Amino acid sequence: MKGFCRQTTKRKGTAESAGPHGRRNARERGRAPRRSGAVSTATAGPREDVRGGRERRGAGRVPSAAAENLLLPAGQGHRGPTPQMAFFNDQSVNSSLKLLSASGQWTTLGSEVTKIEATVVPCTQISMSFFDRLYSEGIVREAGTIVKCYDDYYDDIVISDELRKVLLLEDSYHYDLFTQLDREEFLFCLFKHFCIGGTLCQFEDVVDPYLETTKAFYKDLVSVQKNPETKEIRIISTVFRVSAYDANGLCYPSSKSHQQTFAYLIVDPCKRHVNILYHCFDGSLFTN
C-alpha cells in the first residue's frame, strides 16, 4: 500500500524544547480519528492505514551538516547548486531516506541525485479559522456533515462530495472560496492531502476528522516564535516541496508524478531539524 511517511533528521547535540504549544505525549500525538485513516506520527516502523497507505517514521539521526545544508544560501558551505541537492546527496540521508518502490516495498533512495526541483511553500497561517468558510458556502453543514454529490473522477481520484469538488475542480461553483494564495499555504496543502488520501480511501462523512488531523500534523511539523514586544505568534519554519532526479530521471518521491505523490522538507532553523512528510499515491495496493 502507498501512504504517508514522516522522517526527522536533526543536529547532534541539539536539545529538543517543548515550544510555544508544548509537546504532546506519544499517545496523544499518535491518536487518529476512528474512521479517518489518518497516519500516526508517534510510531516507529511501517504501519497500515485505512486510506490505503503505509506510514514509516524514523530514519535516525544524520550528521549536522546534512540538516544545516538546508539552512545555507546556495553556494555557501556546501557543494552543488542548491542546499536541497547537498541534503539529498549527503551519504547518511541518501542511504536512509525512505520511499516506496513501484512494487510497493519500502526502500532507500540509494542513488546520486543530479537535479532538484524545490518550491518554497508559504507557511503563514496560525489559526484553523482559515477553514471556517467551508460552513458558510454549502460545502459543510453546521453540524459538520459534508454535502454529498454525484460521483465524478479527477486524476484517478473519486470525487463524491462538495468538499473534494472545491479542493480539486477549477470549474466547481465554490472553487473561488479559496484564492490561489490560500491554496498555496502549507496548512491548505495538508488539509487537501488528508481529504483526498491514497488509492484505498475510506472517506469521512463529517469534516471534523480532517480538520483535527490537519491541526495535529501542522502543530507537530512547524515551529513558531512569539514576538516579545507585540506578543504576536509567527512561524519560523521553512517548507519546501521537493522532487529529485537521478541519472534515470525522476526518482523521489516517486518515478511517477501525481498531485498526491509528494515530499515536503520542513526546516526548523533554531533546532536544526528537518521533518520530511512523504506520500506516494499510485502503485501496488498490497505489500508484505
Side-chain angles (χ1 to χ4, degrees), residues 196-215:
I196 296 172
T199 49
L200 292 179
C201 292
Q202 183 176 345
F203 294 137
E204 291 293 336
D205 295 322
V206 294
V207 75
D208 289 349
Y210 296 129
L211 294 173
E212 292 166 2
T213 304
T214 299
K215 180 179 179 179

Side-chain angles (χ1 to χ4, degrees), residues 9 25 28 53 74-75 102 116 132 140 143 148 167 173 188 196 215:
T9 66
N25 61 46
E28 180 181 354
I116 291 289
D132 285 353
V140 177
K148 299 297 182 180
L167 294 176
Y173 182 78
F188 181 92
I196 296 172
K215 180 179 179 179

